Each structure stands twice: as C-alpha cells, then as structure tokens.
Amino acid sequence: MLFHLGLIFSGLVPNLVSRPLHMALALPWVLIYLARNQFEVVTGYFLTIAGLLGTGWIAWNHTELSDQYGYLLDNFQVGIAVTLLLIVLEMSRRAIGWPLPTVALIALAYGLWGQHIPGEFGYAGVPMESFLGTLTIAEGGLWGKLTGVSVGVVAIFVIFGAFLNAGEAGAGFMNVAAASAGKLKGGTAKVSVLSSALFGSISGSASANVASTGAITLPAMTKLGYPRALAGAVEAVASSGGQIMPPLMGAGAFVMVELTGIPYTGIMAAAIAPAFLYFFAVWIGINAFAKRYDLKGLNPEDQPSPRSVLITSLFFLVPFTILLIGMFGLGYTPQYAACVSILFSCLLLLTDQTFTFNWRKILSRYEEAILNSGRQVSMIASIILCASIIIGVLGITGLGVKITSLILSGSGGMLWPALLLTALACLVLGMEVPTTAAYVICVSVAGPALIEIGLEPLQAHLFVFWFALLSTITPPVCGAVFIAAGMVGENWLKVAAYAMALGIGLYLIPLGMVTNPNLIKLVNEPLLATLSAIKVGSALAAISYGVIAPYKLWLRAALITGGLVLLVL
C-alpha cells in the first residue's frame, strides 16, 4: 500500500523499476497468503524467492536493460525471462484458475513456434532471445501499459475502496438506500438495487457485492415473503451492475484509459448514462414483479432513523466529495485525488457512527483495510500481468491483425454480424476469466475490426466491456447467480432465469450504445445524450415489462415496440 501511495507523491519512477516491484510485492500475497494447501505454501516460498530475485534484478539493472531494446544477451538473461513468465502463469492460476494462464501458454507457444504453422495464421518468426526479451526486459509484455495501469491507478482506487469498506461506508450505503426506497412497493428489492449500485461503485466486484450487501438484503427479502429465486436474482443482477458503475468499474475504466487514450473523466462521463439506464431497467423489472407477487416494502421497525442515515452517509460522502473536488475542481489526476481521499478515509476509521474511540476496533479496521487492499491489488496484478503476456504476443506476432481480418471476413464486413461474433466471444471468454481480463483480450482482437467497420473507439470498447460482463448472470457459468443462490438456498437455474429477465438491460444497452451513439457523449453533446437516454430508457421500460409479464397482450405489444425504438428508430 505504502509503495503505491509513495509512487503517486514521489514523482516519476522508471517503468522498469515500478512495474517489476509491483509484481514483486504481489508475489507473497498470491503465492503464499492465498495458498490452499501445504504443497502450495512450500512451493509458494520458492517461487516467491525466485520472483523477487528476478524482478529485483530487472529493477536494479533497468538502465542497462533499456539499452538492449528487448534482446536477451546470454543464457542467464534467458533464464530470468523464462522464470518470470512461468511465475506469472502460476500466479494467475492460483488467483483465478487455469483458463487465463492456458490462453497465455497457447500464446507463448504460438510466439515460439508459430513460424511452423502453414497458411495465413503462420508468421515469419523472431529469434527466441528477442521474443522473450520483448516480453520481460522491455516496456512491453509484462511491463507494458496494462501493468502500468495496475501500478499507477487501479491499485490506488482498490486501496481507496478497501479503506471505505473497512469503516462505516457500507452501512451508509445501506441506510441511504433503505431511507430512499424502503417504503416503496417492492422496497426491499429496490434497497438492494440502490445499495449494490453505491457499494459496487467502489468495490468493482460482482461477487464481493453479492456477499456484502446480500448478507443484509437477502434475509430481509425472504422474511417479507419474496420468492427465494427472485430475491437471489435481484441481488445478483444489482451486484453485477457495480462493474459498470463509475468510478471503479472493476478496474476496466483505467484499462480503457490506456487502450483508448481518452482521459479518465471522459470514460466516466461516457459510462455513467448507460450504467444508470441499467439500474433503471432493473428498477422497472422489480416494479413488474412487485405487481405480480404483491411484494412489500421494509417494515417500519427495519428502516433506519434519519440520524443514522445522516451520520453513516458522511463516511462515504466526505471521501467521495474530496475525490470529486480534487478531480473536477482542482484539476488533480484521478490517482492523486484518490490518494488524498484515502488519507481522509484513514482518519474516518478512527471512529464509528456512535463517535466512540475503541482502539481495539480501530486497529481491527486498519488491519482489515490493509489485508483486503493487499489481497485485491495482488489478485488484479496477477490477472493483468498474465493478460499482458497475451497482448504482448499479439503485438509481436501480428496475430491480433489476423484475428481481426478473420472477424471482418466472417461478418462480411457488416456491422451487426461482427457485433454478434464479438458478443459471443465475450460471453464465452467471460465464463472462464474475470471481466477485466475478458475485456482486454476481446477488445485487443475484436476492437480493431469493430472500429474498421464503423464504430467509434469508445463505442467499441464499451460494447466489448459490457458483453464481457454477461457471464455474471448468464448460464452455464454465472458467478453472481451461484453465490446468491447459495445464500438463499434456491436452485441456481431458477435464480438465473429471473436474473436474465431482470438484467435484460445488460444484453440490450450495449446494442443501444451502437444505435444511439449520442448516449455516451454526455460531455460533448449533453442535450442529445439526454434525449438518447430518455429514448433508450423508455424502450428498456417497455421491454422489461413485456419480458416479465408476456401473458398480457398489451405488454407483448410493449415488448415489440420497445425493441423497435431501441434498435431501429
């Protein structure tokens, strides 16, 4: 934590120093702290020592290595390169399982032996020393732009979220949501939507969102007689929205900054309207279910007092206000503004909503914040380092260009077939790897094709990012649904069926961004963006009602009309 904060305040540090040290700090967390058995603990110590030596050697010799232009001079350097690549693959495997490192292994094999493949997908080949060196001692591959995002931005916002969550901010989110929507029809479900949107904006994780807000909202919904499958679906769908809600967006916003060259504030402004439309569609779906099942709001005794709402809300309003003032009022970079907000979040951990000072609880909060930030930063680092191998190989071999050509030829140069192919690729890949990794891989190979066919770069990136999220609620692999189903004790397929109906916006809003490009131009075209949001929101409302209650003739008509408004008019 101190390393990443120090980088922001200390000024420029060479990339071949900061990025290898970022990996070095993540090594013990992933390889030792997260070990699942004694064998992993023992091997974790050996791998950590080897990784520390390798990354330390690169940081120490960064000046000389920058003059080698990615070419390894001797067997010792080749050994360092191979060791680092293998350790990154193992870090990723321990963090998220086999799928992503398997793709990286295939990419490495293609880079080493792809010259023996006949036909269009073969390539001329490069010397092994140059190939491995570009990935490990140059500012590409392991130490490329993606890792730079992880070091300089993602880590800071993850630390910010961890310190907020360790205090009373989570209670503040729940209380504000309960006070705003608790009395409404279907109010408990709407509390879940609002609290998940607020909590997800800083956690950026659908699974963490379900586990945290679901622990409160799911028992409340089942207690009031909500069908268990619907209760689980509400929490899964609401929690999935956290990954598309600024500012964090599951680290995707910061990766998008590097890949598109658009400032972070521009990404936030483009993403905010679609995110609100997503939660609006969920809200409308809950209204439809509330009429269908006569769902009640919170009991009066379960609603927070105005004093509790006011006090607990300060625990997130103060840091968020400082963050926004720093970025938009004082012109600080997002990471610098977040660092200042972290300092205030640290001070807020000294007390709770009763304004008591219990040193044991204070130390416990700081311990929780530090451990959670270390664990989350190292997990994201493992994913991004492994994804960087794939991106590096695509650049060295030109495979990305060939896959782009394949998409163009497979779609016949037409936009909608290309969008369908990309959406299917995102869904399949998202079933196996986290959203951010799926987005990075898919946009690297499909993004250029979509842009060449006619999409603007930000449109293409947001389209891919949203569809990479589909696997959180779409069978057969739907992580948020699995967790919510387990928490309510219901069959996951029933939960998934409700989730897909409630989360219909996740499938349709990316298409709406394509047919209504002004939707993501809130800064440049605020009036047109607002009109587009109204149009898309009206279409989503009609479709949501039509999907949830299709047995009524007028709702079938609304479903068809909404589809035409969204995709055609």
Side-chain angles (χ1 to χ4, degrees):
M1 184 186 79
L2 294 177
F3 168 74
H4 293 96
L5 293 176
L7 285 178
I8 303 301
F9 289 119
S10 64
L12 294 177
V13 175
N15 292 334
L16 282 182
V17 174
S18 61
R19 296 173 188 181
L21 291 182
H22 176 63
M23 175 180 164
L25 292 171
L27 285 167
W29 287 92
V30 177
L31 297 176
I32 299 174
Y33 182 71
L34 298 180
R36 291 177 287 267
N37 53 56
Q38 190 60 34
F39 176 77
E40 287 196 353
V41 171
V42 174
T43 55
Y45 275 104
F46 284 107
L47 291 172
T48 297
I49 293 170
L52 290 174
L53 292 173
T55 52
W57 181 83
I58 288 178
W60 184 262
N61 296 283
H62 69 278
T63 304
E64 293 80 4
L65 293 176
S66 62
D67 294 332
Q68 294 181 205
Y69 302 102
Y71 190 87
L72 302 175
L73 298 179
D74 51 39
N75 289 335
F76 173 77
Q77 293 189 3
V78 171
I80 292 285
V82 171
T83 299
L84 288 175
L85 290 171
L86 291 176
I87 289 174
V88 167
L89 294 174
E90 177 62 9
M91 287 175 67
S92 178
R93 185 196 70 81
R94 293 195 185 189
I96 58 171
W98 275 107
L100 183 59
T102 299
V103 174
L105 270 173
I106 294 171
L108 287 171
Y110 178 82
L112 291 170
W113 301 295
Q115 65 269 29
H116 302 299
I117 298 176
E120 181 182 353
F121 278 88
Y123 84 108
V126 296
M128 182 185 69
E129 292 82 1
S130 180
F131 175 74
L132 295 177
T134 302
L135 293 176
T136 56
I137 67 167
E139 292 182 24
L142 293 181
W143 323 126
K145 288 185 176 181
L146 281 184
T147 306
V149 175
S150 181
V151 175
V153 186
V154 174
I156 299 300
F157 276 84
V158 168
I159 295 168
F160 177 47
F163 272 85
L164 276 182
N165 292 332
E168 297 286 332
F173 290 147
M174 291 299 301
N175 287 340
V176 169
S180 303
K183 296 179 182 179
L184 303 176
K185 197 173 185 65
T188 313
K190 291 172 180 175
V191 168
S192 174
V193 172
L194 290 179
S195 59
S196 293
L198 291 168
F199 181 82
S201 68
I202 60 169
S203 74
S205 167
S207 300
N209 213 345
V210 172
S212 54
T213 61
I216 300 172
T217 59
L218 288 173
M221 283 188 273
T222 54
K223 179 182 176 182
L224 290 173
Y226 286 54
R228 289 183 177 272
L230 176 59
V234 167
E235 186 56 47
V237 170
S239 296
S240 297
Q243 290 192 243
I244 53 176
M245 174 63 77
L248 195 58
M249 294 172 63
F254 311 114
V255 175
M256 213 174 290
V257 169
E258 284 298 327
L259 297 180
T260 62
I262 297 171
Y264 171 69
T265 50
I267 298 292
M268 276 211 310
I272 194 71
F276 273 113
L277 286 174
Y278 172 81
F279 285 106
F280 170 74
V282 177
W283 189 282
I284 294 298
I286 290 172
N287 279 340
F289 277 120
K291 290 184 178 180
R292 183 169 167 183
Y293 293 114
D294 191 26
L295 303 179
K296 300 177 181 179
L298 280 173
N299 293 323
E301 63 270 18
D302 294 326
Q303 294 176 1
S305 66
R307 181 178 184 276
S308 177
V309 174
L310 176 62
I311 292 173
T312 56
S313 64
L314 293 175
F315 283 86
F316 70 84
L317 282 177
V318 170
F320 266 125
T321 301
I322 292 168
L323 176 69
L324 294 175
I325 290 174
M327 284 195 299
F328 298 105
L330 302 177
Y332 294 155
T333 62
Q335 53 267 44
Y336 190 90
C339 282
V340 177
S341 298
I342 290 170
L343 297 180
F344 279 87
S345 299
C346 287
L347 294 176
L348 291 173
L349 292 183
L350 294 173
T351 187
D352 56 20
Q353 58 181 301
T354 61
F355 297 112
T356 57
F357 295 86
N358 184 317
W359 288 107
R360 183 171 295 178
K361 289 184 178 180
I362 290 171
L363 292 175
S364 176
R365 294 187 200 113
Y366 280 114
E367 180 184 10
E368 178 187 349
I370 292 169
L371 290 177
N372 283 338
S373 60
R375 180 170 57 250
Q376 292 174 37
V377 168
S378 62
M379 292 280 283
I380 293 174
S382 301
I383 294 167
I384 286 184
L385 284 165
C386 193
S388 296
I389 294 175
I390 300 168
I391 305 306
V393 172
L394 292 176
I396 294 169
T397 62
L399 181 61
V401 176
K402 294 170 184 176
I403 297 177
T404 297
S405 299
L406 182 65
I407 293 173
L408 289 171
S409 61
S411 63
M414 295 183 289
L415 179 60
W416 286 99
L419 292 175
L420 177 61
L421 289 171
T422 304
L424 289 173
C426 290
L427 175 60
V428 172
L429 191 59
M431 291 178 185
E432 300 292 350
V433 300
T435 303
T436 303
Y439 154 68
V440 169
I441 297 170
C442 282
V443 85
S444 297
V445 296
L450 297 179
I451 293 169
E452 188 170 334
I453 290 174
L455 289 190
E456 295 179 6
L458 188 54
Q459 267 184 305
H461 280 258
L462 286 173
F463 178 88
V464 172
F465 184 74
W466 273 63
F467 271 109
L469 187 61
L470 285 184
S471 59
T472 59
I473 62 172
T474 308
V477 179
C478 36
V481 166
F482 288 152
I483 296 171
M487 292 176 72
V488 296
E490 182 57 275
N491 184 295
W492 71 270
L493 282 173
K494 293 181 181 178
V495 177
Y498 279 112
M500 292 172 71
L502 270 177
I504 191 72
L506 196 59
Y507 303 87
L508 296 180
I509 292 173
L511 303 177
M513 285 188 256
V514 174
T515 56
N516 302 271
N518 289 322
L519 183 62
I520 61 174
K521 296 180 180 179
L522 190 61
V523 173
N524 298 326
E525 301 286 350
L527 178 60
L528 293 177
T530 302
L531 293 175
S532 294
I534 293 171
K535 172 190 168 185
V536 173
S538 302
L540 287 172
I543 292 170
S544 293
Y545 263 105
V547 167
I548 291 169
Y551 47 85
K552 293 186 179 181
L553 184 60
W554 74 271
L555 287 173
R556 291 182 187 175
L559 177 63
I560 296 171
T561 303
L564 290 173
V565 170
L566 180 69
L567 302 176
V568 179
L569 299 181

